[in-house]
Amino acid sequence: MNGALLTASGPSPLWYATRASGTVSLVLLTAAVALGIAAAGKYAPLRLGRFEVSALHRNLSLLSLAFLGLHIVTAITDGYAHLTWPTAFVPFVASYRPLWVGLGAVALDLLLAVALTSAVRGRLGRRRWKAVHWLAYAAWPVALFHAVGTGTDTRLSPQLALYGACLLTVVVAVWWRLVRAGTQADRVRRWATAGTLLVPATLVAFLAAGPLQPGWAHRAGGTTQAPATAPSTPHPSPTPQQHPQQDEHEGDDAE
């Protein structure tokens, strides 16, 4: 009986769908960014034509946006975090973890700018389109910190390994591009070096001081009012026995 009650009052399937779709979207975005950096244009592998590389890059990007859309829809529909459509597009206005949800909104806006300008690429011209296209690369670290800061799934070893793999993939892609470019990349090499050192160092420091420490769900602003399935109580900090769904949500937050 107690097990059935806990199952009924646990997080909804939408909550798990939100976390899963966010993780898949980040993995696909990482693959698209790494491919765009390392193998696009004249640096494409000899066995692949530029058309095949461009098509793969475009399809990865579209799949990432599709899973991102699912991530947003399930997060809003689930209702636990009280997110709305404006909070998905307007940064830092959400009541639930405003900074970290806001970073997700920033990443979404940057990716939408890339997608929309790609649709009118012929009218913009290659130089203007390419300038906007760089926003996709800026969106990737923002999306990574959104994922790390929004959920305490980060404390799980598989999730940490996944974030580390994403980070390593992009760093390797940057240095592969620089090596292939040779002396032509001298003017950007110092900036690339700084970036490939700064982002991992910042991420490690943030993990050590934030998500990996006890009480991160509270400090990140992740407390919300109890779900409708739980009885109301005047106490601000209900026990897990009183509100098992809230305890589960705060212990395993969405990406």
Side-chain angles (χ1 to χ4, degrees), residues 10 24 40-41 51 58 65 88 100 113-115 128 138-139 148 153 162-163 166 175 178 205 232 236 239 242 247:
V24 173
F51 174 79
R58 180 176 62 254
L65 282 175
W100 308 109
V114 174
R128 291 180 179 177
V148 173
D153 279 350
L162 185 143
Y163 293 146
C166 289
W175 281 101
L178 292 176
S232 59
T239 64
Q242 291 174 311
D247 180 69

Side-chain angles (χ1 to χ4, degrees), residues 3 5 13 24 30 44 57 83 90 99 116 149 162 169 197 205 207 221 226 241:
L5 289 175
V24 173
T30 298
H57 176 69
L83 300 178
V90 182
L99 175 59
L116 293 175
L162 185 143
T169 299
L197 292 176
L207 281 168
Q241 290 77 11

Side-chain angles (χ1 to χ4, degrees), residues 99-171:
L99 175 59
W100 308 109
V101 173
L103 290 180
V106 171
L108 172 63
D109 293 342
L110 293 176
L111 292 174
L112 286 179
V114 174
L116 293 175
T117 53
S118 295
V120 293
R121 178 177 177 179
R123 297 183 179 182
L124 285 178
R126 179 174 177 80
R127 179 174 297 181
R128 291 180 179 177
W129 172 82
K130 193 172 182 179
V132 177
H133 196 72
W134 277 98
L135 293 176
Y137 302 115
W140 177 81
V142 176
L144 179 62
F145 276 89
H146 160 73
V148 173
T150 303
T152 51
D153 279 350
T154 302
R155 301 177 68 177
L156 301 177
S157 297
Q159 197 75 8
L160 279 173
L162 185 143
Y163 293 146
C166 289
L167 184 61
L168 181 62
T169 299
V170 173
V171 169

